[in-house]
Amino acid sequence: MKFTWVLDGDTSKLKDAFDIRKKVFIYEQNVDPGLELDGLDQQLIHLIGYIDNRPVATARINLNDAKTKAKIQRVAVLKEQRGQRLGFKLMEEIERWARETNPSIEVLSLSAQDPAIPFYEKLNYAITNEEGYLDANIPHHDMEKQLN
């Protein structure tokens, strides 16, 4: 899988990420489009994974003001591409980016859909809140990984 980083909020470059997110979150998981496309995308960092020039995976990263924590959001792999470790490769690329280009980042955090918790645990993320919550009517837990 080849990766493209979108650091400048260029919506023409983000079309591939939006297409993946619409298929996964809006059509497959029935998330309200207003919740999924929340208007924050132009302010955040995006990663898009391609196989044979076809977009198949994406995530976005939100840096906090202190720049010591990065929140990973909107992690998605197209349904027909799952089971090929593309999600692992996507997350490993985010970690590589954080370590190499943003050494001040000490923690990667995310809000995991409950069925995805074992996936993130394999990547050494740990649940930080025992009591879960609903986000877009989907059960979630917060998780973190220390980079240092």
Side-chain angles (χ1 to χ4, degrees):
M1 183 162 56
K2 293 185 179 181
F3 295 107
T4 295
W5 284 93
V6 181
L7 307 173
D8 59 4
D10 183 339
T11 53
S12 67
K13 295 177 186 175
L14 292 176
K15 181 187 179 312
D16 290 341
F18 294 156
D19 289 346
I20 295 166
R21 286 169 44 191
K22 285 177 187 174
K23 288 176 185 173
V24 172
F25 298 121
I26 295 171
Y27 303 131
E28 188 179 328
Q29 297 182 351
N30 297 311
V31 171
D32 181 297
L35 294 174
E36 175 51 37
L37 302 173
D38 58 8
L40 297 175
D41 289 300
Q42 288 183 296
Q43 305 163 34
L44 304 178
I45 298 165
H46 299 263
L47 176 61
I48 307 162
Y50 294 85
I51 294 178
D52 296 327
N53 295 317
R54 188 170 152 249
V56 296
T58 192
R60 76 178 189 187
I61 298 97
N62 188 353
L63 298 175
N64 71 357
D65 292 335
K67 304 287 189 242
T68 59
K69 183 185 273 191
K71 184 166 187 180
I72 302 167
Q73 304 171 320
R74 308 304 202 267
V75 176
V77 175
L78 291 178
K79 188 174 187 176
E80 60 270 19
Q81 300 293 327
R82 292 183 198 147
Q84 300 177 43
R85 299 188 51 85
L86 302 182
F88 281 96
K89 292 176 184 176
L90 187 80
M91 295 298 292
E92 288 170 348
E93 173 65 7
I94 292 169
E95 187 172 332
R96 182 208 60 77
W97 169 84
R99 289 181 190 278
E100 291 179 11
T101 65
N102 293 281
S104 63
I105 296 173
E106 299 171 0
V107 176
L108 294 176
S109 68
L110 52 85
S111 177
Q113 292 182 5
D114 283 4
I117 289 172
F119 164 77
Y120 292 113
E121 287 176 331
K122 288 177 186 171
L123 290 161
N124 298 313
Y125 284 80
I127 293 173
T128 58
N129 62 330
E130 287 303 317
E131 194 157 323
Y133 54 92
L134 290 178
D135 185 2
N137 292 318
I138 300 169
H140 283 70
H141 278 80
D142 292 332
M143 300 185 83
E144 287 187 351
K145 178 177 184 172
Q146 298 290 325
L147 291 183
N148 299 339

